[in-house]
Amino acid sequence: MLGSMSAERGRGRILPTAPGFRVTRVELFYDLVFVFAFLNVTNVLSETLSGRSLLAGLVLLLLLWWCWVSFAALGNVVRTDQGVMPLVGAVTVAALFVLTLAMPAAFADGPAQRQSGPPAAVLFACCYLVIRAAQVLVFLSRSSHRGRTAVRLGLPPLISVALILATAALPESPRQTWATWLPLALWLAALCIEYTSGGLAPSAGLTVVSAAHWAERYALILLIALGESIISLGLGPKLSAGLPATWPVIVASVLGVTIIAALWWLYFDSLAPALEQRLHRTRDVRARAALARDAYAYLHLPLITGIILFALGLKRYLAVISHPRGDPWREHAAALDNRVLFAGLVIYVSGLLALGVRATHRISAVPTAVVVAMAVGLPWAGRLPAVAALAILAVASVSVVLLGLRSSDPWRSRVRRTALDEQVAAEQEQSEWRRHHL
């Protein structure tokens, strides 16, 4: 074992992972920049929210998600804390940070809102290319079919970058409708190419080496996104603390935290361990890669999107409640704010249902009924005061959690018992190893 690792270190200083590999601290460090990127999308949208800016923000969010997915897949194949990989990660983080700085200009509706410096589309495309190229090059170094892997993994980001660069070459015609929507159409085309190419991951030879690492990676990024919601709730409409400690703000804050806690419970109580256990039981290489792609890379995206939209809605709600024009208890949020807030929860719970169907072949009746009720009641949400709307969402979220706890579900008990047994066994094995070697 030590001899083979030394050979790997001398040959390329890129060490492979093992089936029992777990998430490293350096990967959590990289995720801090993704937190900043997700938070920046929410912050920019909270100040320039419109139909077009919301769509543009979602496109940028989906591209950021695909960057993270590729980086998470990379960490499942090679040890990101060994050899030259920390340097590759540092380059990726630097490029991602600059990319995040370029994001706000993507929401600009005209040349008057643009700042000095390189065009935002060019800067975004160059940083995106650096991130994706670093990932593809590491994958190529581990592939036995480099020609086929280079085409299937390297060609899509090149085409996407070319489409993004094309937006910077478009003529500026502020009064023309096509000048507003054509750049966004090119961004959407780039997004579709990236996600469509992801469906070829199993046929491109990509595998899931460590099911534990894969599941833990996605659970942690979801936890970070929930933390981002807490940050948005605490900071309020601006990037500064100090919301007035009035009763309406206090009540709205408690309701917001209650909803976020319910969202955490709905995923981490039994669904997250069930997904990981299903991934462990899937022994066929291609079937495991397909499950990892569908249940994690694709179906975790609605969860992240729902959380970000809900955080955006919370920001906008707090702006109304903390700076009211009249009675704060009766203040109404804008119609788009209500849609964003309710849609965030609908998308999140729908993602949970889709995960259950894909990975566990179960359809939960109560969450399904809640999703339908929220979707039907969405047009009437604007008639409610902001605090009342948050109260209804909190009651619905907590009710789903409590009904799930009251039901005698043998599946939930089995999943949680298996997860606990695995945790205890791993702790005993680690303690035994430390007793002999440390």
Side-chain angles (χ1 to χ4, degrees):
M1 175 70 71
L2 292 177
S4 61
M5 291 185 67
S6 299
E8 290 284 349
R9 186 180 294 108
R11 183 173 63 191
R13 299 191 64 82
I14 297 179
L15 305 182
T17 58
F21 185 67
R22 306 292 297 198
V23 174
T24 62
R25 292 185 177 93
V26 71
E27 291 177 287
L28 298 180
F29 170 71
Y30 298 152
D31 284 350
L32 295 177
V33 184
F34 281 97
V35 174
F36 169 62
F38 292 154
L39 182 61
N40 205 31
V41 172
T42 306
N43 290 334
V44 174
L45 283 175
S46 66
E47 298 178 0
T48 62
L49 186 60
S50 64
R52 180 191 176 279
S53 67
L54 181 60
L55 181 57
L58 290 176
V59 170
L60 292 176
L61 177 63
L62 267 59
L63 285 173
L64 283 172
W65 172 253
W66 200 248
C67 286
W68 183 88
V69 166
S70 301
F71 195 74
L74 182 66
N76 195 262
V77 176
V78 300
R79 298 179 183 271
T80 54
D81 59 344
Q82 301 293 330
V84 299
M85 286 307 300
L87 178 60
V88 175
V91 172
T92 299
V93 165
L96 177 62
F97 189 86
V98 177
L99 178 148
T100 305
L101 295 179
M103 281 169 42
F107 296 91
D109 292 324
Q113 299 183 16
R114 297 180 182 177
Q115 300 177 355
S116 61
V122 174
L123 187 59
F124 187 100
C126 292
C127 293
Y128 188 81
L129 180 60
V130 170
I131 296 171
R132 298 289 281 116
Q135 297 163 351
V136 172
L137 289 175
V138 175
F139 277 122
L140 285 177
S141 69
R142 309 301 308 171
S143 176
S144 57
H145 303 283
R146 295 188 178 181
R148 183 179 65 180
T149 304
V151 172
R152 293 186 175 182
L153 297 183
L155 188 59
L158 289 177
I159 298 175
S160 299
V161 167
L163 290 172
I164 296 174
L165 287 174
T167 62
L170 293 175
E172 294 179 353
S173 301
R175 298 182 179 180
Q176 300 294 328
T177 304
W178 65 267
T180 301
W181 292 98
L182 182 56
L184 188 55
L186 293 175
W187 283 79
L188 283 170
L191 182 68
C192 292
I193 289 174
E194 284 283 59
Y195 276 76
T196 302
S197 65
L200 303 175
S203 61
L206 298 182
T207 60
V208 177
V209 178
S210 172
H213 173 274
W214 191 272
E216 185 181 10
R217 200 78 174 88
Y218 282 81
L220 288 174
I221 196 63
L222 187 67
L223 189 63
I224 290 174
L226 289 170
E228 191 273 341
S229 298
I230 296 289
I231 295 174
S232 294
L233 180 61
L235 295 181
K238 299 291 184 181
L239 275 179
S240 60
L243 287 173
T246 61
W247 282 113
V249 171
I250 293 173
V251 171
S253 300
V254 172
L255 292 173
V257 172
T258 301
I259 297 171
I260 295 171
L263 298 183
W264 176 90
W265 187 276
L266 291 174
Y267 177 81
F268 286 97
D269 174 62
S270 55
L271 182 58
L275 290 173
E276 182 176 351
Q277 292 166 19
R278 171 67 187 280
L279 195 61
H280 279 293
R281 289 194 299 267
T282 306
R283 302 289 194 266
D284 182 74
V285 174
R286 291 177 64 89
R288 173 180 280 197
L291 177 62
R293 175 200 61 199
D294 297 343
Y296 287 93
Y298 285 164
L299 289 181
H300 271 65
L301 176 58
L303 306 186
I304 297 295
T305 303
I307 292 171
I308 296 301
L309 289 177
F310 179 72
L312 173 62
L314 279 179
K315 262 186 171 310
R316 304 279 292 188
Y317 265 52
L318 280 176
V320 172
I321 298 172
S322 60
H323 299 91
R325 292 167 296 180
D327 184 0
W329 295 105
R330 299 183 179 182
E331 282 292 332
H332 288 70
L336 186 56
D337 298 343
N338 285 294
R339 296 190 186 101
V340 167
L341 187 78
F342 276 73
L345 283 184
V346 170
I347 292 173
Y348 182 89
V349 180
S350 298
L352 295 178
L353 295 174
L355 277 174
V357 173
R358 174 62 179 88
T360 65
H361 306 293
R362 290 169 50 89
I363 300 178
S364 301
V366 175
T368 302
V370 171
V371 168
V372 174
M374 286 184 180
V376 172
L378 187 59
W380 288 273
R383 302 178 183 178
L384 298 173
V387 177
L390 283 176
I392 291 177
L393 291 179
V395 170
S397 302
V398 173
S399 298
V400 174
V401 172
L402 294 179
L403 289 174
L405 292 177
R406 287 174 60 87
S407 62
S408 55
D409 189 354
W411 174 84
R412 176 178 177 270
S413 301
R414 183 172 62 254
V415 167
R416 291 179 57 84
R417 183 173 61 251
T418 301
L420 179 59
D421 292 343
E422 180 187 7
Q423 180 181 349
V424 172
E427 292 169 351
Q428 292 175 349
E429 183 179 354
Q430 291 173 2
S431 298
E432 186 68 18
W433 187 92
R434 292 178 182 128
R435 189 171 66 86
H436 285 87
H437 297 86
L438 297 180

